[in-house]
């Protein structure tokens, strides 16, 4: 069985993330979406909230599971017999950073490969940071995030603006 993991902070999940998830799910028997608990960042949503949002938007893809994790990605992959890491690329600047991470991972975990998928051109500008910025000012983000996430963002920023 081929297994892959698509890691990220997903704060929040965007249509670009969802595109990579759907395409990866077609390539592998099982895809784990790994929601990173990155202590170096202060996310808008808690780890549990991000995991639940993702579970909601991928519930119709049978070979996808969503988990939260902390620590090294390669350690999680090894413990779960995952041999491939999937990473999305939007631009050349993403490639430089992602290549460095992939090469480092390969050095410490030569049994795990990284596969890069270029984003769909319609999402090449999109990032969670951009989504949060627009949503914080009340901009409609329907072209950026799955429908259930739109309402969650509206509620979150309504609470912050009060």
């Amino acid at each position: 069985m081929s297994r892959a993991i698509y890691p990220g902070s997903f704060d929040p999940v965007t249509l670009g993330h969802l595109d990579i998830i759907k395409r990866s799910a077609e390539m592998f028997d099982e895809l784990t979406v790994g929601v990173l608990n990155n202590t170096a960042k202060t996310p808008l949503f808690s780890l549990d909230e991000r995991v639940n949002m993702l579970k909601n938007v991928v519930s119709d893809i049978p070979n996808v599971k969503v988990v939260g994790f902390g620590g090294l990605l390669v350690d999680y992959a090894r413990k779960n017999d995952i041999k491939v890491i999937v990473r999305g690329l939007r631009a050349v600047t993403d490639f430089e950073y992602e290549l460095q991470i992939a090469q480092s991972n390969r050095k410490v975990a030569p049994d795990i490969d990284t596969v890069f998928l270029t984003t769909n051109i319609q999402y090449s500008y999109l990032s969670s940071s951009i989504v949060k910025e627009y949503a914080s000012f009340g901009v409609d983000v329907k072209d950026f995030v799955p429908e259930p996430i739109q309402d969650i963002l509206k509620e979150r920023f309504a609470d912050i603006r009060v």
Side-chain angles (χ1 to χ4, degrees):
M1 174 187 286
S2 63
R3 291 188 177 115
I5 185 166
Y6 176 43
S9 54
F10 305 103
D11 187 41
V13 59
T14 68
L15 292 174
H17 293 133
L18 193 54
D19 175 59
I20 297 291
I21 291 168
K22 288 178 178 178
R23 290 167 48 209
S24 299
E26 291 176 2
M27 298 169 73
F28 298 96
D29 296 324
E30 181 181 286
L31 177 68
T32 299
V33 178
V35 183
L36 180 61
N37 185 22
N38 186 346
T39 56
K41 292 184 178 181
T42 305
L44 177 63
F45 297 101
S46 72
L47 179 63
D48 288 341
E49 288 172 320
R50 290 179 282 141
V51 166
N52 289 331
M53 283 189 281
L54 269 158
K55 283 181 177 179
N56 183 18
V57 299
V58 301
S59 63
D60 62 330
I61 311 171
N63 64 328
V64 172
K65 69 178 184 175
V66 180
V67 299
F69 77 98
L72 287 177
L73 171 60
V74 292
D75 288 342
Y76 179 88
R78 277 188 175 139
K79 288 177 189 170
N80 291 279
D81 195 31
I82 296 171
K83 300 294 183 195
V84 178
I85 298 167
V86 174
R87 298 298 295 165
L89 298 174
R90 293 172 297 197
V92 171
T93 52
D94 285 347
F95 179 74
E96 290 179 28
Y97 172 76
E98 294 294 344
L99 180 61
Q100 182 181 17
I101 300 297
Q103 290 173 333
S104 298
N105 285 342
R106 187 76 174 161
K107 181 70 175 170
V108 299
D111 53 321
I112 300 173
D113 279 309
T114 300
V115 171
F116 297 112
L117 293 180
T118 56
T119 189
N120 184 314
I121 193 76
Q122 73 189 78
Y123 306 124
S124 62
Y125 63 90
L126 191 53
S127 71
S128 293
S129 298
I130 288 171
V131 169
K132 288 184 284 194
E133 180 76 11
Y134 280 127
S136 74
F137 286 99
V139 174
D140 186 353
V141 292
K142 72 176 190 277
D143 293 332
F144 304 152
V145 297
E147 188 174 341
I149 309 308
Q150 296 168 32
D151 294 332
I152 293 169
L153 281 165
K154 283 179 191 174
E155 289 173 26
R156 180 58 49 97
F157 283 111
D159 292 344
I160 291 173
R161 278 192 237 116
V162 171

